[in-house]
Amino acid sequence: MQFSQMIFVAGFLPLFFVLYFGKKELAWKNAVFFLASCFFLLFQGLLAVAFLCVFTLFAFFMGKALGKATEGKKKKIFFLSLAGILLPLAFFKYSAALPFLPKMVKGWMPFGISFYSFRFIAYLYDCYQGKEAEQEIFSFSLFAFAFPVLSQGPILRYPEMREEIKNRAFSYEAFSHGLFRFTFGLWKKLALADALGSLSVEVLSLDSLKNASMLQSSPSFSFLAVFLSGISYMLQIFLDFSAYTDMAIGIGEICGFALPENFQAPYSARSIRDFWRRWHISLSMFFRDYVYIPLGGNRVPFPLQVRNLLLIWILTGIWHGSTANFILWGLYFFVFILLELCCKKLWKRMKKFEGGTFSFVLRCLQHVYTLVVLYFSWILFRFSDFQSLKNILWLHTFPKSLALVDGKTLLIAKSNIFLLLVAILFSGNLLSTLEEEWQKLLFRGKSRLARKKRASLGFYGMEDADGKGDPRPEEISGETEVQKEEAISLAEEEEAEAEEEEAELSQENQEDLLRHEKILRRIQRRTKLNIFFLDHAEQLYFWGKLLAAIAFLLLSFALMAGQSYMPFLYNQF
């Protein structure tokens, strides 16, 4: 069962929320969350549940042992626990390459083992470093079985969830934002990522690349097909992965868990190092904190720093897949990060030219460089067959036998231009920018309401003795009826004089007055609108997110039911 399947969205999730919010007690919510996680895992098979149970018990008791052990025994217990988690992970990842295994075992992997293995390693290392080990098996099991992060991450650490397991509260703001985040991720997966995956295969058949004689013959497709397939896959892999992260974070927010972000507009990066600060953040932070820094990090001499980086990127490649192209993919990133480290001083000197045309051109060049490097990295990631990889790289060298454009691919590209534009738009930082603006508006609205509240309470909240607040102006002035009549007569005289003066004004002055009045009314309307938005910022935020969530959900249901009108919209452009 996947997050984007109808059985999950229309069956599992609504039932889970009904039971979860059925009672206010935290113990009830935790019990429902744990049982729902077990039920979710049951869809992957009994063996998947059994493996996670064994790993959970092993990590829990080894963590307790590390907490009680003396300094002399801690190291042995830690390495024993590390071997107990890494050896099964390595066995299942590379079981396909072991000839003596039966066919039913080869290539099989317990569901989510890569993600929960790293979570347990992080927990055990924290215990080894002296952090408090969990003493309650149920709380630890809730962390281990948490279904939102079970299959696609992010890689949680126990301290990020410990306090919320024992104490969390419901929030309408978190609920509306979480619901929006889940439905947006669902729509992004179904309407964009899946459509891009189909497009990348439609314009370029992957089977055709396996032909060894392609290098000598003239291909039946053009360079446009090769490039469009590569760009579609590049967009798809981000939108697909980030969509699952959005759905996981959204479910977590609804339930009161603040799961860490895993992506921050990675295709907006201006260097490969910057890209990996934005892409799969939880994995990058894991390798940094539990491998790179313990080996010395940047504090060691440069040759040892290079060794540490090489180890990190080999491990990154191995973690992503068991075939050789993934190791090649990791080494590819290692080379460019090493080059950037060597050019760090030059990079810092370039930063001095911030502002002006040169700075703009420099930023554009950095961005183009990053995107080109990433484009070829996803080619290495995509093709596990080396003959296909060799052919696709050869096709990017603009051979004479390859046509630049063909009619079929051009027609497909025109039909899907809207899809590509929307995908590029949502691959950037559009949503984060909008969220920042909303948060600024919320802050201004809250500040305005706080000022109004302080003003209503008087000077620093001090009221008069009888508790009725400040006296009215007329009570201070003590006006009499005679004074009021005199004031009225004076006002009437002034009004008459003003009418006489207005009659004497020329037509040109009257036109100026009318224009000024129009400008004043426009300013007043704008001010009233701004005040309305500030006074109702929280309500607008809540209802806006809720309505957007409903819209994304309806579109997703239409896509899942096979009645989507999105392809029709794409083809209109």
Side-chain angles (χ1 to χ4, degrees), residues 79-148:
F79 280 107
L80 178 64
S81 62
L82 201 61
I85 290 174
L86 285 178
L87 289 176
L89 176 62
F91 171 79
F92 286 113
K93 265 193 175 292
Y94 293 96
S95 60
L98 300 175
F100 56 86
L101 291 176
K103 287 185 179 180
M104 61 180 297
V105 177
K106 279 189 175 185
W108 181 78
M109 279 186 69
F111 182 77
I113 188 172
S114 296
F115 285 95
Y116 62 70
S117 293
F118 273 32
R119 281 191 280 149
F120 292 147
I121 290 169
Y123 170 74
L124 290 168
Y125 184 82
D126 288 343
C127 294
Y128 172 66
Q129 291 294 317
K131 292 185 180 179
E132 183 185 358
E134 180 56 57
Q135 302 300 316
E136 296 179 9
I137 183 65
F138 178 73
S139 296
F140 187 76
S141 299
L142 204 67
F143 158 75
F145 278 76
F147 74 90

Side-chain angles (χ1 to χ4, degrees), residues 13-23 28:
L13 205 57
L15 180 61
F16 164 68
F17 285 143
V18 167
L19 294 173
Y20 184 84
F21 293 108
K23 291 184 180 180
W28 168 265

